[in-house]
Amino acid sequence: MEFEPEQNEIRLRIGEVATVHYKVINLAARTITAQASYNVSPPQIGAYFDKINCFCFTQQTMKPGETREMTVVFYVDPAIVKDHEQDTLDTITLSYTFYRLPEQDRPVAETPNTNSSKL
């Protein structure tokens, strides 16, 4: 999988809602299912980082060679202004790990339902 943000850096005000787009390409020769997990740095900022919507909330199934744009919508909670330990903070880093999920065993064939009644 190739996974990268369309922008490496954005600037926004506290409380401002931001939408960030990521481009994902399935480079595998088969369909895969993957999930993203995120990290916010510095760690103490996680309490103030609020995601409204994120591709990381759901599994993503992509066909071979498929390209997809995925988005995250977030804001930094204005309550951070009252946390004076964060007064010198000027940069927050959001990063993702996009990992393949194990393939689920699928039956080759289904067995007929032998419990059905005939009328």
Side-chain angles (χ1 to χ4, degrees), residues 5-107:
E6 291 185 357
Q7 294 176 269
N8 285 323
E9 183 177 311
I10 62 169
R11 295 188 181 275
L12 55 121
R13 294 180 304 275
I14 300 297
E16 178 182 2
V17 175
T19 300
V20 177
H21 302 276
Y22 288 80
K23 181 180 178 182
V24 182
I25 304 172
N26 179 3
L27 300 174
R30 61 188 167 135
T31 298
I32 63 168
T33 300
Q35 180 90 36
S37 63
Y38 77 98
N39 185 50
V40 178
S41 182
Q44 69 273 17
I45 226 53
Y48 301 104
F49 190 86
D50 292 316
K51 290 188 306 308
I52 298 168
N53 193 9
C54 183
F55 57 89
C56 63
F57 294 161
T58 59
Q59 295 178 358
Q60 306 294 324
T61 299
M62 297 178 67
K63 296 177 182 174
E66 182 180 349
T67 298
R68 188 178 294 173
E69 181 181 277
M70 298 183 188
T71 58
V72 59
V73 181
F74 67 92
Y75 65 95
V76 177
D77 189 329
I80 195 171
V81 174
K82 296 177 184 175
D83 184 349
H84 295 293
E85 291 182 19
Q86 309 308 323
D87 285 349
T88 60
L89 179 70
D90 65 355
T91 301
I92 298 171
T93 301
L94 173 63
S95 61
Y96 285 94
T97 301
F98 207 79
Y99 57 95
R100 184 183 294 181
L101 296 172
E103 292 186 29
Q104 300 294 319
D105 291 334
R106 289 186 271 178

